[in-house]
Amino acid sequence: MSIFSVQLLTGLAYGMLYFMIAAGLTIILGVMNIVNLAHGTLFLLGSYMAFTFMNQQFSFWIALLLSVAVTAVIGIIIEKLFIRQIYGKELEQVLLTFGLAFVIADTAKWIWGTEPQTMAVPALLDSSISIGPMVFPFYRLFVVLIGCLLALLLWYFESKTRIGAIIRAGVDDRAMVSALGINVGAVFTGVFAFGAGLAALSGVLGGPLIGMYTGMESDILVTSLIVVVIGGLGSWKGSFIGAILIGLIETFGKIWFPSLSMLIVFLLMVVVLIIRPQGLFGREVA
C-alpha cells in the first residue's frame, strides 16, 4: 500500500507539472487560436535561465521569479513581432512557431551546451516524509501543491474577474469583444505572455524533478499537446484533469508495463477523440 501511495503522489507531481505548461498552451490556443509549437522551448528557457541565475548566487525563489518574468517578456516580443502578423493563418503559425522552436533550441545549445544539467532542490524543501516503510521527497508534494493552487487561481481569475470574463467572451466571440471597444490586441499580448510565464514556471519547477537536457522541449511539447487534446481546447479544467491522467498513467505504466507506458497514453488520447472529439471539457463545435 505504501508503494502504491508513493507512486500515486509521484504521478500527481508529474501531472501538475504537465498541467502548468498545458494550461498556458490551451489558453493560447483557445483565446488566440494560435498553434504555438515553440511553447516547449519556453519551458526549456525557463529551466535553463533559473539554472544560470542560481549559478550567479541567486536563491531558487529569486531565480524562479526572474525566469518567469524574463520568459513572459520574451513571449511579449514574440507575439508583437511575429505572431501578430499571422492571426487567422494556421499554416503560417505552424511554420513560424516550428522555426522559432528550432532557433530557440539551438540558441540554448549554443549558450548552455548539450550536456545534461541538474538543478538543486531548494534547501527549504530538501527533505522527505515517511509513508510506511517508504520515503517521499517533500519537493514533489510542493509541486502538487503549486499545481492545485494554480488551478484555484485560474478558476478565480476566470470566474470572478472582469479580465476573466473578457477572455471567456473572447473564446466564444472575438468579434463581439472587439466591437465592445475592448483592446483585443492588448488582451492577446497579455494572454501570450501569461502562457509563456506558465511554461517558464513549469520549467523551473521541473528542473529538480526531471533534470535539464537539450531536447526536452520536444518531449514536453508532445506531452502537453496530448493533455490539451484530452482535456479540450481552451479549457484549463480539461488540462488539469488530462494532466493528472497522463501523469498517473506514465508513472504506473512504467512500473507495470514499462515498454508500453507511452502507448497507453496515446491510446487514451485516441479513445477520447473517438468518444468525445472536442475533448473532456472542450466546447462542442456546431
Side-chain angles (χ1 to χ4, degrees):
M1 188 62 185
S2 60
I3 295 177
F4 177 84
S5 299
V6 167
Q7 296 306 320
L8 178 63
L9 290 172
T10 299
L12 288 175
Y14 281 99
M16 290 301 100
L17 197 63
Y18 297 150
F19 164 63
M20 282 180 255
I21 185 170
L25 182 60
T26 195
I27 290 171
I28 290 172
L29 278 167
V31 176
M32 304 173 66
N33 198 27
I34 293 294
V35 183
N36 182 21
L37 297 183
H39 199 70
T41 57
L42 299 176
F43 176 96
L44 177 76
L45 280 181
S47 185
Y48 272 93
M49 280 194 291
F51 173 77
T52 300
F53 287 133
M54 290 175 68
N55 283 344
Q56 299 300 317
Q57 307 306 313
F58 287 96
S59 71
F60 175 86
W61 310 107
I62 299 298
L64 185 149
L65 292 174
L66 289 174
S67 298
V68 170
V70 172
T71 307
V73 171
I74 292 173
I76 292 173
I77 294 171
I78 290 174
E79 193 276 335
K80 285 184 174 293
L81 292 184
F82 303 107
I83 302 297
R84 186 167 293 188
Q85 316 304 321
I86 52 173
Y87 282 138
K89 302 176 182 178
E90 287 80 6
L91 178 59
E92 286 85 346
Q93 291 169 13
V94 170
L95 292 175
L96 173 65
T97 56
F98 190 61
L100 283 174
F102 275 104
V103 170
I104 296 172
D106 284 349
T107 301
K109 290 179 184 178
W110 174 62
I111 295 174
W112 291 289
T114 58
E115 290 295 322
Q117 304 289 347
T118 57
M119 188 185 300
V121 174
L124 182 65
L125 304 174
D126 192 12
S127 59
S128 301
I129 61 171
S130 298
I131 303 177
M134 310 290 292
V135 293
F136 188 78
F138 188 73
Y139 181 77
R140 296 188 180 186
L141 286 180
F142 171 74
V143 173
V144 174
L145 176 63
I146 292 298
C148 292
L149 286 176
L150 175 62
L152 184 62
L153 287 173
L154 287 175
W155 167 81
Y156 180 82
F157 184 76
E158 178 187 59
S159 304
K160 306 295 183 181
T161 67
R162 181 174 180 271
I163 296 177
I166 292 172
I167 291 175
R168 292 200 313 274
V171 172
D172 295 324
D173 193 337
R174 280 173 285 174
M176 178 199 69
V177 173
S178 182
L180 291 174
I182 295 170
N183 188 340
V184 177
V187 172
F188 280 10
T189 300
V191 167
F192 200 89
F194 181 71
L198 284 182
L201 174 66
S202 59
V204 178
L205 294 179
L209 194 61
I210 62 176
M212 300 159 51
Y213 57 94
T214 52
M216 69 178 181
E217 72 280 356
S218 299
D219 298 335
I220 203 70
L221 177 65
V222 170
T223 302
S224 59
L225 286 172
I226 293 173
V227 170
V228 170
V229 169
I230 291 175
L233 180 64
S235 171
W236 66 265
K237 299 172 188 174
S239 293
F240 184 75
I241 300 300
I244 291 176
L245 288 174
I246 298 305
L248 292 175
I249 289 172
E250 278 193 351
T251 300
F252 285 104
K254 288 175 181 176
I255 297 175
W256 297 333
F257 311 103
S259 60
L260 299 175
S261 58
M262 282 307 296
L263 175 61
I264 297 172
V265 169
F266 281 102
L267 285 176
L268 173 63
M269 181 179 68
V270 170
V271 169
V272 170
L273 286 175
I274 291 173
I275 297 175
R276 190 173 170 83
Q278 69 271 27
L280 297 177
F281 290 87
R283 295 174 295 113
E284 189 169 357
V285 179

